[in-house]
Amino acid sequence: MDHKGGGGAGGELELAGTRGPGAVERGNAAPATKPLSLAKLILACMVAGGVQYGWALQLSLLTPYVQTLGLSHALSSIMWLCGPIAGFVVQPCVGLWSDRCRSPLGRRRPFILVGCVLICCAVIVIGYSSDIGYALGDTKEHCSVYRGPRWHAAIVYVLGFWLLDFSNNAVQGPARALMADLSVGHFGPNAANAIFCSWMAFGNILGYSSGSSGKWHEWFPFLQTAACCEACANLKGAFFIAVILLIFSMSVTMIFAREVPLPPRNSGKADEEDGDGERMNFFAVFKAFKNLPPGMVSVLLVTGLTWLSWFPFILYDTDWMGREVYHGDPKGSPAEVAAYDRGVREGAFGLLLNSIILGLSSFLIEPLCRKFTAKLVWVISNFILFAAMAATAIISVWSLNDYRGSIQHAITADKDVRIAALVLFAALGFPLAVLFSVPFAVTAQIAANGGGGQGLCTGVLNISIVVPQVIVALGAGPWDALFGKGNIPAFALASAFSLVSAFVGFFMLPKLSKSNFKTAGVVGGH
């Protein structure tokens, strides 16, 4: 895709006062960033790994855990509405504000600092939700014998979960934009893309390893209380490590990401005009949709359809392992609960394999796109996604047909079914790497050629991600309940969406030239 000139979205986005990745309002030249060595560029992005560690725990452990507090399988998907709401509101606003921030710390680092502090608060609230609910009167019974709902704990948990998602969104956008800022004119955005995706993969590997270990209650026995048994203590311990890792990685980023601050605002009337401009600029994010450059609408459409395929798996992957593969139930008999917990840990291990393939694939995306074009790579990845989503339904039916377990005996999964499920988790790493790279690369090219700031343009693309998440969060639970209480219906529908997205991408995506992609790479995110 080759967009020249300053029309379309470029003219609209210039209302935000940003002309290019590092530009500032009123058309003033952006302060030049000092060249960084490759080692310092890598360290400047470390916060991505710390945030992704917590995000991996959120994806692998929190949907199963909240069902132990009393939320049903259908209602647990509603909890994830915080993600799209945060993405729709927080990322465009934070992206816009970070483009214009005049803090002595720079444009991006103040938002990274505040967001990381809020993430730490959120995970502590989530980890202690059972203890807080116990103190508020959920039950006086010990957690080892009580199987009823704990509504106070569930409310505290959901509040912490929402704060966590809002805080994650407040960090992710500025972190991506920071890497784009620091790489411009030095190593190039392709280096930023590879570094950012590698830190994401590293954070995922640590997070999913932590979630799959199941040993935190043994290593830190003081985490267990009358309200918090093994599964809860494991969650608490993993999140304590998340706080330590996030503080460390944030500190490294704050030290090595030396931004040059924007000059102070002029006083008086000019100051008032700047304030009026900022209020107007919030609506520029949404006005940009009707003035997008040719081809960008197709990119947003394919991105949205692809995420419609991904979100059912993202929401229910470990729950699927616990229910359909291991035949457990988070609110069933002790044997069923134990089987479900084993499945959740096995699912976290599958996500660990997924992250390894994601990390390796992230280095292959740019060469593949230069050889075959980004359009073809994206379309092929969606066909792979279609096959994988169809395979989840096939594996589920296979597992349920072969199951001959009894609650009087240890419930476990068939060995062949487990292996097939783990292979599926690993195979999904490649299409996920494509999704984390190609759409953002196209958007970066538009930001560079059309005149939009990196922070603002990332927020615009994010809207095509959060809308599908709203649809899935509202519809996946009732859709599964309509055909039964498992995950097969949502995964089957996800397979259909991925097939549609592949064909839409093949016929509608503009051809992104190989040379353009080479200079358009940018960091991607979940």
Side-chain angles (χ1 to χ4, degrees):
M1 188 192 307
D2 190 10
H3 301 300
K4 303 293 184 184
E12 191 69 44
L13 295 175
E14 278 191 1
L15 288 173
T18 53
R19 294 186 180 94
V24 298
E25 59 190 315
R26 304 291 172 196
N28 297 327
T33 57
K34 297 179 181 179
L36 295 178
S37 66
L38 181 59
K40 289 184 177 180
L41 188 63
I42 293 172
L43 293 173
C45 193
M46 185 181 286
V47 70
V51 172
Q52 199 67 24
Y53 176 90
W55 179 253
L57 292 175
Q58 185 177 359
L59 292 178
S60 61
L61 299 180
L62 296 193
T63 295
Y65 179 70
V66 75
Q67 295 180 65
T68 67
L69 300 181
L71 264 68
S72 67
H73 179 266
L75 285 177
S76 64
S77 66
I78 305 297
M79 175 185 69
W80 285 86
L81 277 175
C82 58
I85 292 174
F88 192 80
V89 176
V90 174
Q91 280 218 21
C93 292
V94 169
L96 173 60
W97 295 337
S98 72
D99 281 341
R100 304 165 66 95
C101 179
R102 297 177 181 275
S103 166
L105 289 175
R107 293 189 293 168
R108 319 297 183 186
R109 288 188 296 171
F111 296 93
I112 293 174
L113 174 62
V114 174
C116 288
V117 171
L118 292 176
I119 289 174
C120 293
C121 295
V123 298
I124 292 173
V125 169
I126 291 173
Y128 280 90
S129 57
S130 291
D131 298 281
I132 296 172
Y134 188 86
L136 293 176
D138 275 340
T139 179
K140 295 301 180 184
E141 295 185 59
H142 195 274
C143 57
S144 60
V145 296
Y146 183 70
R147 290 288 179 268
R150 291 173 280 175
W151 297 118
H152 292 97
I155 292 172
V156 172
Y157 170 93
V158 171
L159 291 175
F161 188 94
W162 277 58
L163 177 60
L164 178 59
D165 245 19
F166 273 75
S167 305
N168 278 333
N169 276 277
V171 175
Q172 288 167 6
R176 296 187 189 111
L178 175 64
M179 286 304 292
D181 293 341
L182 296 177
S183 65
V184 169
H186 310 318
F187 292 98
N190 278 330
N193 182 38
I195 293 170
F196 197 92
C197 288
S198 298
W199 274 119
M200 287 176 58
F202 183 69
N204 277 336
I205 291 170
L206 292 180
Y208 293 137
S209 298
S210 179
S212 63
S213 67
K215 299 293 185 180
W216 294 109
H217 68 283
E218 298 177 4
W219 298 332
F220 304 111
F222 62 87
L223 296 177
Q224 293 191 69
T225 64
C228 185
C229 289
E230 290 184 6
C232 171
N234 283 325
L235 182 74
K236 198 184 293 183
F239 273 142
F240 267 130
I241 301 301
V243 170
I244 296 172
L245 182 61
L246 182 60
I247 292 175
F248 175 75
S249 62
M250 177 201 68
S251 300
V252 172
T253 293
M254 296 293 290
I255 292 170
F256 285 95
R258 291 294 183 183
E259 297 183 87
V260 178
L262 295 180
R265 281 197 181 96
N266 296 327
S267 58
K269 185 177 180 180
D271 223 9
E272 296 176 5
E273 290 175 357
D274 286 348
D276 292 340
E278 278 194 27
R279 287 191 292 272
M280 178 177 62
N281 284 332
F282 175 79
F283 299 100
V285 178
F286 305 99
K287 289 179 181 178
F289 276 101
K290 66 181 180 180
N291 294 311
L292 289 173
M296 190 61 196
V297 172
S298 300
V299 173
L300 297 178
L301 177 61
V302 177
T303 300
L305 288 171
T306 306
W307 280 105
L308 277 174
S309 307
W310 268 108
F311 275 125
F313 187 79
I314 289 173
L315 262 62
Y316 293 127
D317 43 21
T318 53
D319 184 74
W320 172 68
M321 285 289 285
R323 289 178 183 272
E324 274 81 13
V325 177
Y326 273 77
H327 316 288
D329 186 342
K331 292 182 285 188
S333 66
E336 290 173 320
V337 171
Y340 182 79
D341 290 341
R342 287 197 302 273
V344 170
R345 291 195 297 272
E346 189 83 354
F349 178 70
L351 291 172
L352 167 63
L353 299 178
N354 176 278
S355 299
I356 294 173
I357 301 300
L358 167 64
L360 295 175
S361 300
S362 65
F363 292 99
L364 302 176
I365 301 304
E366 190 266 345
L368 287 173
C369 289
R370 282 194 286 116
K371 184 176 179 62
F372 300 108
T373 75
K375 172 181 177 177
L376 185 58
V377 171
W378 196 352
V379 168
I380 290 174
S381 74
N382 280 343
F383 277 116
I384 295 174
L385 179 60
F386 158 70
M389 289 296 101
T392 58
I394 295 172
I395 291 172
S396 298
V397 174
W398 173 19
S399 177
L400 294 174
N401 287 341
D402 285 352
Y403 176 54
R404 298 291 184 271
S406 170
I407 59 174
Q408 282 78 28
H409 302 89
I411 303 174
T412 187
D414 180 82
K415 181 180 178 181
D416 293 335
V417 175
R418 288 176 52 228
I419 293 174
L422 291 176
V423 169
L424 176 66
F425 271 84
L428 281 168
F430 175 74
L432 191 58
V434 172
L435 190 60
F436 282 177
S437 300
V438 176
F440 292 92
V442 176
T443 303
Q445 183 181 342
I446 292 174
N449 295 343
Q454 292 287 356
L456 182 60
C457 289
T458 300
V460 171
L461 179 65
N462 197 62
I463 294 175
S464 68
I465 300 175
V466 300
V467 170
Q469 189 172 351
V470 171
I471 296 172
V472 173
L474 289 174
W479 177 259
D480 283 338
L482 184 64
F483 294 95
K485 296 183 178 180
N487 298 295
I488 300 176
F491 287 177
L493 189 61
S495 177
F497 277 123
S498 58
L499 183 62
V500 171
S501 68
F503 280 107
V504 171
F506 182 79
F507 289 107
M508 293 187 63
L509 277 177
K511 184 177 180 180
L512 182 64
S513 71
K514 302 170 186 178
S515 60
N516 279 343
F517 185 83
K518 187 175 181 180
T519 59
V522 73
V523 293
H526 46 256

